[in-house]
Amino acid sequence: MATKLFALACIRNNNGESRGGSDLSPRPHYPSMPTYPKGVSPQETTVAEVSEAKAVFSVIGMTCSACAGSVEKAVKRLPGIREAVVDVLNNRAQVMFFPSFVNVETIRETIEDVGFQATLIPDEGNEKSTLVCRIRIKGMTCTSCSSTVESALQAVYGVQNAQVALATEEADVHYDPKIVSCNQLMVAIEDTGFEAILINSGEDMSKIDLKVDGVRTNLSMRILEQSLQALPGVQGIDINNDERKISLSYKPDMTGPRNFINVIETTGSRRFKAKIYPGGEAGRENHRKQEIQQYYRSFLWSLVFTIPVFLTSMVFMYIPGLKHGLDKKVVNMLSIGELLRWILSTPVQFIIGRRFYTGAYKSLRHGSANMDVLIALGTNAAYFYSVYSVLRAATSPHFMGTDFFETSAMLISFILLGKYLEVLAKGKTSDAIAKLMDLAPETATLLTLDEEGNVLGEEEIDGRLIQKNDVIKIIPGEKVASDGYVTWGQSHVNESMITGEARPVAKRKGDIVIGGTVNENGVLHIKATRVGSESSLSQIVRLVESAQMAKAPVQKFADRISKYFVPLVIILSFLTCLSWFLAGKFHGYPESWIPKSMDSFQLALQFGISVMVIACPCALGLATPTAVMVGTGVGASQGVLIKGGQALESAHKVNCIVFDKTGTLTIGKPVVVNTRLLKNMVLREFYELVAATEVNSEHPLGKAIVEYAKKFREDEENPAWPEARDFASITGHGVKAIVRNKEIIVGNKCLMVDHNIAVPVDAEDYLAEAEALAQTGILVSIDGEVAGVLAISDPLKPGAQEAITILKLMNVRSIMVTGDNWGTANSIAKEVGIDTVIAQAKPEQKAEKVKELQAEGYTVAMVGDGINDSPALVAADVGMAIGAGTDIAIEAADIVLMKSNLEDVITAIDLSRKTFTRIRLNYIWALGYNVLGIPIAAGVLFPSTGFRLPPWIAGAAMAASSVSVVCCSLLLKNYKRPKELNNLEVRGIRIE
């Protein structure tokens, strides 16, 4: 960092500042892994020993992320620390540890040894005040249905928020477990007339469902329950005797599904067999397949009856021989044709069409009206008028009536076809989740080890049966079975499907691997640390699922319309029928307009039925959620995780982006870029003295110097540096120590002045040059004389300049807000092409700048690394966390960019614009269809053109409208990034 900041630090003497005055600490790319005491191998730990504890400390005195980094590093050095996370903004440190190896007091003392005041925050109870429950809902057909369920859930005491998505047929319910249970929520849904299936209760406990074969009596199930209950770590068991299903809640650190299956299969006479019950995504897919099959079967059966009805009424009447046979009278004026149509259409109306009666009844029972009400009314009007006509003909020797049996039968058949196509298309909108789930391997090779870690045997198991601390063998070309770390072997792993990293990443002992990635060449043994719902892949899937559940604000428009749509259509239908009937009764139109086979009432009835069945609330209800589902799915495949419709809608309006500098525009990891010696000495010897002094420092700049010094010791993997005595870290200035009986001082100009060391003019000039190039200058003094100057830089990301240029072409203004000094900030901004710069800004000042831009009328996106930028990410209209990798649980961000590429900022904005354009098209089509279709069905064209829309064609048009909206959304699957990005070679950078 530049000399200007060093002078400022010297004057202010702020002990909280870092040496360079900037946050150059790299964002951790992977979650922390379990660590064990020296001399204790992971294999030697028992179940009791690996039980975790959590402690939260208040840490006073931290002012920047360098402070947080020093605390985190010091704590992680302790034996038995699983994870340590330090939040500099809230002055807190959260530590996950193994009590058998380390205690709370030791951790607290370690934090205080670093130089900060630490106080343990008492545990306020592990029980969450709010849980999120996910429930699958069967039977919803339109927005009115989802609104009814949502209102019923919101009315339950203890429910804080409920969202029901028609497209996914699922509900997300935020509830207080102390007030209401999941079972009560499911009862509330079932009271509205829909079937509810629990997907996830939201509790922290791991859960699994097992299906048991070979059980003949309920007594056997009770024996199994008692056997499982005796296992350590089992917290709850629920038995379903009818389905032979056992649901278990357990602590994954103590037990797991393999233990449960083993207990079941070894109980009694060993006749029981257990396997994982199909659920989760498999359950959803099974439900979708069942629904598709049900509609397909119903449609085929309807055709069996409808085709003869259609032929007898529309085709055979024009074939002389057949017409004569069908016109033969059975009783009075009742013909064989009419009797056949009545017999054939009745099963279609009441058996195949039963679902519409059920749906209409459930809807009306709760004071709302949905699409089923329109279908039931329309088909009933046609069917029962036809029944009246047939009965009148059978009892009268003179009555010449016309039946509309073909209308009701064909109407139901076309609606079933439309529903079948709609469900088929809707299933494709959630392909993204299915593809993510497919990344998890179906099987894994489990290794059995002895106490010394030698392999005794291996066994192929179901991938879902992996438990924590299992050791898994991964051969070349095979997928990594779970999150964990390498215990043996070395290889390269392709992580592009998770992190977007284009190049395979080298892995060796101790390195972390992610489940679902692909092993390229060598054989690896990995120890599983995160399995099931805790895995990175599961977190990504949950994020995408949540995004597809969240409603876009524009969806409220459709919800408002749906409340009044069906009642309005029923009124319009009645008024249409009445108007045409009265016009015919009082000779308001010529009798020549009436078809020969009808009278004025029948004509009016046909118009009324057409209006009722052509109106389609489904198309409106599906316009937004299907586009959001496809858009978020496409984003996930591009490495852009969009957290729902709100983020999508806001992102398409973005016209100003605020960039953080470190880790966003720059790589975020400092490197030594230049060295100038002011004394005659060998460069290797110079760096040995400097590295020996800096090796004890926790500062990112010190780490960068040590890493650079290793290049002069390439023959050694972990070089041993000379001993440093009397080491001292001067916060905000540098370090000093005695190495090889020489006093070494490494730091800024202020530190040199404090020690009465003269800074030569050459060194002053070099420091000024470094600042002009956005570099940090570090002075090195040996025995009271400046011996050299180091230039350290946080390199600009490849493609940053091009990305800013493309944003300008998209009419998006770019601004840089950073905590760095003005010299460095201006240099970086000039290099990338950003005109507006705010430097030396604290986190809260970044948020204030965002609010100022919003007050000026801008829709602002904030792009940061999600640590110090959290206030600004929350304040912005759209918060984008860049370079998140597997750390996807960034609450502050609306969009998570999984790769460290600025090109994904462009992709996120462009995708949101394309998605919202698709939503607009869907609404134009859905509204335009109804606005044009209803008047045509009502007969506005009939007086001038003689064109009349038969009810069965109106029904076909209604079914086609929903399908067309879903298909329009599916076209988003063909999304391509902006052409300008194809000319860029922008890739994520990882500095080993």
Side-chain angles (χ1 to χ4, degrees):
M1 200 58 59
T3 53
K4 190 181 291 184
L5 186 64
F6 294 150
L8 181 65
C10 185
I11 294 167
R12 291 173 63 188
N13 195 22
N14 186 343
N15 290 334
E17 291 182 10
S18 61
R19 268 182 284 169
S22 67
D23 175 16
L24 290 174
S25 60
R27 179 177 183 79
H29 192 72
Y30 297 115
S32 301
M33 305 304 297
T35 55
Y36 299 88
K38 291 177 181 178
V40 179
S41 67
Q43 287 83 2
E44 293 172 12
T45 59
T46 64
V47 171
E49 287 174 327
V50 295
S51 60
E52 289 181 16
K54 180 178 81 171
V56 180
F57 298 89
S58 170
V59 184
I60 306 300
M62 298 187 297
T63 58
C64 65
S65 63
C67 302
S70 62
V71 173
E72 191 171 310
K73 293 289 184 185
V75 172
K76 284 184 176 179
R77 282 178 176 171
L78 292 171
I81 299 295
R82 179 185 174 276
E83 187 176 14
V85 180
V86 181
D87 181 358
V88 70
L89 295 176
N90 296 309
N91 294 314
R92 286 194 174 199
Q94 179 177 298
V95 184
M96 304 294 293
F97 64 99
F98 302 103
S100 301
F101 301 138
V102 66
N103 58 37
V104 170
E105 185 58 26
T106 303
I107 298 170
R108 191 190 66 78
E109 288 175 356
T110 301
I111 296 173
E112 295 200 334
D113 287 343
V114 180
F116 304 101
Q117 182 184 342
T119 309
L120 178 68
I121 298 174
D123 188 7
E124 297 173 357
N126 293 325
E127 187 176 357
K128 292 184 179 178
S129 59
T130 303
L131 298 179
V132 182
C133 173
R134 286 181 60 227
I135 302 172
R136 183 173 297 120
I137 304 167
K138 289 185 177 182
M140 295 190 299
T141 57
C142 66
T143 317
S144 179
C145 301
S146 58
S147 298
T148 301
V149 177
E150 196 167 290
S151 300
L153 287 170
Q154 294 278 20
V156 176
Y157 179 62
V159 171
Q160 296 168 1
N161 184 37
Q163 284 188 327
V164 179
L166 175 64
T168 58
E169 296 181 340
E170 289 178 5
D172 264 12
V173 187
H174 296 250
Y175 70 102
D176 187 338
K178 297 174 185 175
I179 300 173
V180 66
S181 67
C182 284
N183 289 335
Q184 289 171 292
L185 298 176
M186 292 169 69
V187 168
I189 294 171
E190 288 170 353
D191 284 345
T192 62
F194 301 98
E195 184 182 349
I197 301 170
L198 181 66
I199 299 174
N200 190 340
S201 65
E203 296 171 0
D204 282 338
M205 293 181 295
S206 292
K207 285 194 169 184
I208 192 166
D209 295 331
L210 298 176
K211 184 173 178 61
V212 185
D213 295 323
V215 176
R216 300 192 186 102
T217 64
N218 292 343
L219 177 61
S220 299
M221 290 293 280
R222 282 198 294 274
I223 293 170
L224 291 175
E225 180 181 3
Q226 292 167 1
S227 301
L228 290 167
Q229 193 73 60
L231 284 174
V234 173
Q235 295 182 304
I237 299 179
D238 185 31
I239 302 291
N240 185 327
N241 289 314
D242 296 332
E243 298 182 15
R244 300 303 186 207
K245 173 181 168 184
I246 300 177
S247 302
L248 297 110
S249 305
Y250 63 97
K251 292 182 178 179
D253 287 327
M254 300 179 69
T255 188
R258 221 166 48 251
N259 295 346
F260 305 146
I261 291 175
N262 183 54
V263 166
I264 291 170
E265 295 186 347
T266 55
T267 297
S269 57
R270 296 179 179 264
R271 71 171 185 273
F272 306 128
K273 295 292 178 185
K275 61 182 179 181
I276 294 177
Y277 199 89
E281 186 58 32
R284 176 191 293 174
E285 189 60 30
N286 289 338
H287 165 61
R288 186 76 70 190
K289 285 179 180 177
Q290 286 174 8
E291 193 176 21
I292 291 169
Q293 284 298 319
Q294 283 174 1
Y295 276 115
Y296 182 65
R297 283 196 299 268
S298 296
F299 172 63
L300 288 183
W301 274 110
S302 72
L303 285 184
V304 169
F305 296 100
T306 302
I307 289 175
V309 172
F310 171 76
L311 292 174
T312 57
S313 62
M314 302 281 192
V315 179
F316 294 164
M317 302 307 292
Y318 300 97
I319 301 173
L322 292 173
K323 183 180 185 306
H324 177 71
L326 292 171
D327 284 343
K328 280 186 178 180
K329 307 303 177 187
V330 181
V331 179
N332 289 330
M333 299 301 291
L334 175 63
S335 66
I336 291 175
E338 288 174 328
L339 188 61
L340 280 174
R341 287 193 290 274
W342 185 13
I343 293 169
L344 290 169
S345 63
T346 299
V348 178
Q349 182 71 33
F350 297 109
I351 299 174
I352 298 169
R354 181 175 177 269
R355 66 175 69 239
F356 302 119
Y357 285 100
T358 306
Y361 168 72
K362 290 174 180 177
S363 176
L364 292 171
R365 195 179 70 179
H366 292 89
S368 62
N370 62 6
M371 188 197 73
D372 291 332
V373 174
L374 294 178
I375 296 170
L377 284 174
T379 56
N380 276 340
Y383 179 82
F384 285 109
Y385 175 78
S386 301
V387 171
Y388 160 77
S389 178
V390 167
L391 293 176
R392 180 85 183 275
T395 57
S396 171
H398 308 293
F399 179 78
M400 291 288 292
T402 303
D403 66 87
F404 300 135
F405 285 121
E406 80 284 348
T407 296
S408 67
M410 291 174 69
L411 196 53
I412 288 172
S413 295
F414 275 113
I415 290 168
L416 287 172
L417 173 62
K419 278 291 175 187
Y420 167 69
L421 295 175
E422 181 187 319
V423 173
L424 209 59
K426 274 164 63 179
K428 296 184 182 298
T429 61
S430 58
D431 278 354
I433 293 177
K435 287 178 181 176
L436 284 170
M437 295 298 290
D438 285 343
L439 291 177
E442 292 183 2
T443 60
T445 304
L446 176 68
L447 297 179
T448 305
L449 308 177
D450 61 17
E451 292 182 357
E452 296 178 357
N454 299 315
V455 178
L456 298 177
E458 56 183 62
E459 173 192 4
E460 188 175 276
I461 62 169
D462 189 317
R464 295 170 295 177
L465 297 179
I466 297 173
Q467 298 176 186
K468 277 190 178 180
N469 300 319
D470 280 347
V471 178
I472 308 296
K473 177 182 177 182
I474 314 293
I475 62 175
E478 195 173 50
K479 291 179 181 177
V480 177
S482 77
D483 292 2
Y485 59 91
V486 179
T487 60
W488 179 87
Q490 57 184 19
S491 180
H492 285 79
V493 175
N494 182 356
E495 298 181 342
S496 60
M497 63 289 297
I498 300 291
T499 66
E501 178 64 47
R503 297 170 301 176
V505 183
K507 300 291 180 184
R508 63 186 66 180
K509 186 176 180 179
D511 287 344
I512 293 166
V513 291
I514 313 168
T517 54
V518 179
N519 183 23
E520 295 277 323
N521 35 42
V523 176
L524 296 175
H525 292 177
I526 69 157
K527 189 177 186 69
T529 56
R530 295 172 184 251
V531 296
S533 60
E534 294 181 350
S535 69
S536 301
L537 190 59
S538 294
Q539 290 181 48
I540 295 170
V541 169
R542 277 203 303 275
L543 188 63
V544 176
E545 285 178 337
S546 298
Q548 294 184 346
M549 283 293 302
K551 287 185 179 180
V554 72
Q555 175 68 25
K556 294 175 184 175
F557 170 69
D559 291 344
R560 281 196 298 269
I561 291 177
S562 69
K563 289 181 182 178
Y564 311 105
F565 187 85
V566 174
L568 184 64
V569 167
I570 293 171
I571 292 169
L572 284 174
S573 173
F574 176 75
L575 290 176
T576 300
C577 183
L578 184 64
S579 300
W580 277 103
F581 174 70
L582 292 176
K585 186 79 172 173
F586 297 104
H587 307 291
Y589 58 82
E591 288 190 11
S592 59
W593 286 11
I594 303 174
K596 292 180 181 179
S597 59
M598 295 186 191
D599 57 25
S600 61
F601 174 75
Q602 291 170 341
L603 179 65
L605 184 64
Q606 287 257 324
F607 281 127
I609 293 171
S610 293
V611 169
M612 195 170 293
V613 297
I614 199 171
C616 184
C618 292
L620 279 170
L622 293 170
T624 299
T626 52
V628 169
M629 282 183 72
V630 179
T632 51
V634 168
S637 67
Q638 300 266 354
V640 178
L641 300 182
I642 302 169
K643 295 184 180 179
Q646 172 76 58
L648 206 60
E649 184 167 340
S650 299
H652 97 279
K653 301 175 186 174
V654 166
N655 52 14
C656 179
I657 298 183
V658 177
F659 288 95
D660 176 45
K661 180 183 78 69
T662 306
T664 302
L665 292 171
T666 63
I667 291 170
K669 186 164 186 176
V671 291
V672 177
V673 293
N674 211 340
T675 309
R676 180 168 296 184
L677 294 179
L678 303 178
K679 286 182 66 175
N680 289 325
M681 63 187 303
V682 178
L683 194 60
R684 172 172 172 150
E685 181 187 352
F686 172 79
Y687 267 106
E688 282 199 354
L689 295 174
V690 176
T693 307
E694 288 282 13
V695 74
N696 294 309
S697 171
E698 294 292 341
H699 198 280
L701 298 183
K703 296 292 184 186
I705 293 170
V706 174
E707 284 299 314
Y708 186 77
K710 287 180 181 178
K711 295 181 179 179
F712 298 95
R713 305 274 289 270
E714 289 181 351
D715 52 323
E716 302 175 45
E717 186 175 344
N718 292 305
W721 304 109
E723 182 186 357
R725 294 181 288 109
D726 301 330
F727 173 82
S729 174
I730 300 93
T731 307
H733 299 292
V735 296
K736 64 179 183 178
I738 304 297
V739 182
R740 290 177 179 168
N741 296 319
K742 295 178 180 179
E743 184 188 40
I744 311 296
I745 300 177
V746 185
N748 56 21
K749 183 180 176 181
C750 182
L751 184 62
M752 301 299 155
V753 173
D754 285 348
H755 286 76
N756 299 317
I757 298 171
V759 179
V761 176
D762 288 352
E764 294 267 18
D765 293 342
Y766 188 68
L767 288 174
E769 289 174 18
E771 180 177 340
L773 296 170
Q775 297 169 356
T776 300
I778 301 291
L779 295 168
V780 179
S781 161
I782 301 176
D783 287 334
E785 185 179 351
V786 175
V789 185
L790 312 180
I792 298 178
S793 172
D794 184 9
L796 201 65
K797 283 183 179 175
Q801 184 178 353
E802 293 86 345
I804 300 299
T805 303
I806 293 170
L807 285 171
K808 286 180 181 177
L809 295 174
M810 296 170 69
N811 297 318
V812 178
R813 180 186 177 192
S814 297
I815 295 174
M816 187 175 81
V817 179
T818 177
D820 272 357
N821 63 69
W822 283 97
T824 303
N826 284 324
S827 298
I828 291 290
K830 185 178 179 181
E831 193 173 348
V832 297
I834 292 178
D835 300 324
T836 308
V837 181
I838 309 295
Q840 295 179 346
K842 295 179 181 178
E844 59 272 17
Q845 291 171 330
K846 292 181 182 181
E848 287 169 10
K849 181 60 184 176
V850 167
K851 290 173 183 175
E852 285 175 20
L853 290 166
Q854 289 169 330
E856 293 173 18
Y858 287 103
T859 301
V860 183
M862 172 69 194
V863 185
D865 62 7
I867 302 174
N868 293 334
D869 304 313
S870 295
L873 287 167
V874 172
D877 296 288
V878 181
M880 297 187 189
I882 193 167
T886 59
D887 184 16
I888 64 164
I890 301 176
E891 294 297 329
D894 301 300
I895 297 175
V896 180
L897 310 178
M898 295 193 66
K899 296 177 276 187
S900 294
N901 295 344
L902 287 176
E903 65 177 41
D904 284 344
V905 175
I906 298 164
T907 301
I909 294 173
D910 185 65
L911 175 61
S912 67
R913 289 179 177 180
K914 294 282 197 313
T915 303
F916 215 75
T917 299
R918 192 64 57 184
I919 290 172
R920 284 198 187 100
L921 286 174
N922 284 348
Y923 274 125
I924 289 170
W925 167 251
L927 285 171
Y929 161 82
N930 283 295
V931 168
L932 293 174
I934 290 174
I936 291 171
V940 294
L941 299 178
F942 188 64
S944 57
T945 64
F947 177 77
R948 180 173 59 85
L949 202 63
W952 63 272
I953 293 179
M958 183 270 283
S961 68
S962 297
V963 178
S964 61
V965 163
V966 177
C967 290
C968 183
S969 295
L970 283 173
L971 290 175
L972 268 174
K973 283 185 150 190
N974 301 322
Y975 169 80
K976 302 292 182 188
R977 300 187 316 163
K979 292 179 181 177
E980 295 85 355
L981 291 180
N982 295 332
N983 300 324
L984 289 180
E985 282 298 322
V986 185
R987 293 289 180 267
I989 288 189
R990 190 191 307 283
I991 297 179
E992 300 293 345

